[in-house]
Amino acid sequence: MNMLSNPALREIQPGRTAPPWMAPWRGDAIAASEPFCAGISAADRILRQTRQVALGRHRSTRTHVHNARCAYVLFHRSSVRMRTDSGDEEIATPLHVSLHAPGEIHAREALNEEGDDCDFIAVAPELLQRLRMCPAGGRAADESLFPSGPCETTPEIFLARRRLFSAASRQYATLNSRQIDAAVERLLALVVERASARHRFMQGQVRANRGRRMQLVEDAKTIVAREYQTDLTAMGLARRLHCSTAYLSRTFHAATGFRLVDYRHELRLRRAAYLIEQANAEIGEIAVRVGFASHSHFSSAFHRRFGITPSAYLNPAA
């Protein structure tokens, strides 16, 4: 069913009066003539804002509908089902970053008790235009260089996000506005490069049966997102999805770049990393919560993946 049949979405269609939470925000550090503004909700918290970007955190337990007044990049701390007004659905997890072009309407539905939890960067039009420039040719690129939807992130992107948001969250700012803008531009260049590569790959897939294969992948991602802490196996997952283990493994790897076992392992590590940032539990407790057998097993896996210990990740400025 088209999303615009939802009353919450009809509320934010072009030409209609926006609900209160879509009112433009202004901070004391932004002049009245500032051309960049973003709509935020009561579930959003702005950490830092400059003339080109706004960094924030979104946390909610209900389905959230968002009308992107500018370009947005979301770093997902939890797993959600994302729906667009075209009817497309994709699963985004802590492995993913999702990009949303100006004017895009989408909804995010939490898949478990973790709710909808993400870091976001709102991007001013002039910065978005620079990101759309081809690095080699220096010419304006098409819209595919800011392709909407989620894509898997690399450890490099994940750690860069951690450093940026850690600095932005400190009570006594260690980065001025110019440094924040420069750090965001470097990070988003990596994100756009990654998202564009995935977009080109998906466009190049054989169209025959592509919808059916991608639905299988999304169904698999949904189950893994909900049960990543368990001993779910590829064979058990394939049985639940009514296909062979070989076909599921091959299709999943082609679409995500991950083997199923590696995807679950990576999801555990990323979710644990986000829990560590909140610093409200011992690392050993977090390790067991996300499915690792012990603190030592988690610490060695974390170090292999990110090149630092969980303690060093907790204190990136140390």
Side-chain angles (χ1 to χ4, degrees), residues 41-272:
S41 72
D44 296 333
R45 179 168 63 94
I46 298 296
L47 302 175
R48 288 288 297 273
Q49 55 192 40
T50 72
R51 291 180 178 275
Q52 295 195 71
V53 301
L55 279 65
R57 176 113 179 242
H58 173 92
R59 302 183 74 175
S60 62
T61 56
R62 301 178 179 178
T63 298
H64 176 72
V65 179
H66 182 66
N67 184 6
R69 309 187 91 180
C70 59
Y72 271 81
V73 178
L74 307 182
F75 298 88
H76 297 275
R77 291 172 170 264
S78 63
S79 297
V80 296
R81 187 189 313 277
M82 304 188 66
R83 298 185 178 94
T84 65
D85 55 358
S86 65
D88 295 332
E89 293 188 3
E90 286 192 83
I91 303 301
T93 75
L95 284 179
H96 293 89
V97 57
S98 59
L99 288 73
H100 303 280
E104 179 183 313
I105 302 175
H106 76 271
R108 301 193 300 272
E109 174 193 354
L111 291 181
N112 48 40
E113 70 279 358
E114 295 163 1
D116 177 11
D117 188 359
C118 63
D119 295 325
F120 66 82
I121 301 177
V123 185
E126 58 268 28
L127 176 54
L128 178 60
Q129 184 60 37
R130 288 204 299 276
L131 291 171
R132 285 174 173 162
M133 299 299 291
C134 295
R139 60 179 175 79
D142 61 21
E143 290 292 324
S144 67
L145 283 183
F146 197 82
S148 295
C151 72
E152 295 79 9
T153 59
T154 63
E156 179 186 13
I157 291 173
F158 190 76
L159 292 175
R161 177 218 58 87
R162 168 60 174 158
R163 290 190 295 269
L164 173 62
F165 277 80
S166 176
S169 301
R170 293 185 193 122
Q171 182 176 3
Y172 300 102
T174 57
L175 299 178
N176 60 35
S177 294
R178 183 172 297 179
Q179 291 170 321
I180 288 285
D181 288 343
V184 168
E185 187 163 358
R186 289 192 296 270
L187 173 58
L188 294 190
L190 295 173
V191 170
V192 170
E193 180 181 12
R194 178 75 173 179
S196 299
R198 183 181 187 276
H199 180 77
R200 290 191 296 271
F201 170 78
M202 296 304 295
Q203 290 295 103
Q205 290 294 288
V206 178
R207 289 189 177 275
N209 295 323
R210 184 171 67 181
R212 186 168 59 186
R213 291 199 306 270
M214 293 313 301
Q215 186 58 55
L216 177 66
V217 171
E218 295 305 310
D219 290 344
K221 286 166 61 179
T222 299
I223 295 174
V224 176
R226 287 173 170 158
E227 303 179 24
Y228 65 91
Q229 313 96 322
T230 71
D231 294 328
L232 180 69
T233 64
M235 183 179 297
L237 184 58
R239 187 180 302 115
R240 291 168 65 175
L241 294 173
H242 309 290
C243 65
S244 72
T245 304
Y247 179 76
L248 174 61
S249 298
R250 184 171 62 250
T251 303
F252 192 90
H253 184 269
T256 67
F258 287 93
R259 296 188 306 158
L260 274 164
V261 64
D262 293 335
Y263 186 91
R264 186 189 65 176
H265 181 73
E266 189 78 7
L267 184 53
R268 287 176 172 179
L269 287 173
R270 300 289 180 94
R271 181 58 187 164

